[in-house]
Amino acid sequence: MFLSLSTSAWILIAAGATVVNVAAMQRIIQIPKYRKKQFWLPVIGLVGVGARGLAQSHAWAETLYLYAATMVMFPLLLAPVRGQVTRDYYRWVEDPTTRTSKAAMAWILTSSTIMLVAIAAGLVAGKKAGA
């Protein structure tokens, strides 16, 4: 059903997701040299998801849904553990043998898996409703 939105609506949704991503990641990423590099995430997302959409001849709505969902996923994934990731980074700079927090890694792996499954389920549901 939601994949039946017009292409212009999906372009607006994708643009909004990009703004949310850039604004949220500026707040989440607390390491200055990586804060500058996070602006590449929307570009990489456009190229990666766009190339996939073109290669598999997907509709614009489907491609823009995947892009928007991916852009929103990263802030949701990193926001809860941003402090721990920052602490781990600065500990690693001082001592490269330092390991990352197991709780933060568990959160990132578990939540990314759940979010990717939810994105895929949303895509399947959108295709079935539109068929």
Side-chain angles (χ1 to χ4, degrees):
M1 180 173 161
F2 65 90
L3 288 178
S4 64
L5 293 173
S6 69
T7 302
S8 58
W10 276 109
I11 290 171
L12 289 173
I13 292 168
T18 302
V19 169
V20 166
N21 177 278
V22 170
M25 292 299 279
Q26 281 296 305
R27 172 127 168 78
I28 292 166
I29 304 296
Q30 298 175 347
I31 302 161
K33 74 178 187 179
Y34 294 114
R35 186 177 283 175
K36 294 174 189 167
K37 292 180 182 180
Q38 70 83 25
F39 283 108
W40 285 100
L41 187 61
V43 175
I44 293 167
L46 279 173
V47 171
V49 174
R52 178 191 176 277
L54 288 174
Q56 296 181 357
S57 301
H58 288 160
W60 278 102
E62 185 176 329
T63 301
L64 291 169
Y65 163 75
L66 290 173
Y67 172 78
T70 305
M71 287 299 105
V72 172
M73 180 182 82
F74 283 103
L76 293 175
L77 177 74
L78 295 173
V81 292
R82 70 184 176 130
Q84 186 62 48
V85 169
T86 303
R87 283 189 295 276
D88 287 349
Y89 172 78
Y90 285 118
R91 287 183 191 143
W92 176 79
V93 167
E94 292 176 9
D95 179 14
T97 62
T98 302
R99 295 191 179 262
T100 59
S101 164
K102 289 182 182 178
M105 287 305 297
W107 168 260
I108 290 171
L109 291 174
T110 303
S111 62
S112 64
T113 302
I114 292 168
M115 287 183 214
L116 289 171
V117 167
I119 290 169
L123 184 61
V124 170
K127 282 183 175 182
K128 285 185 179 179

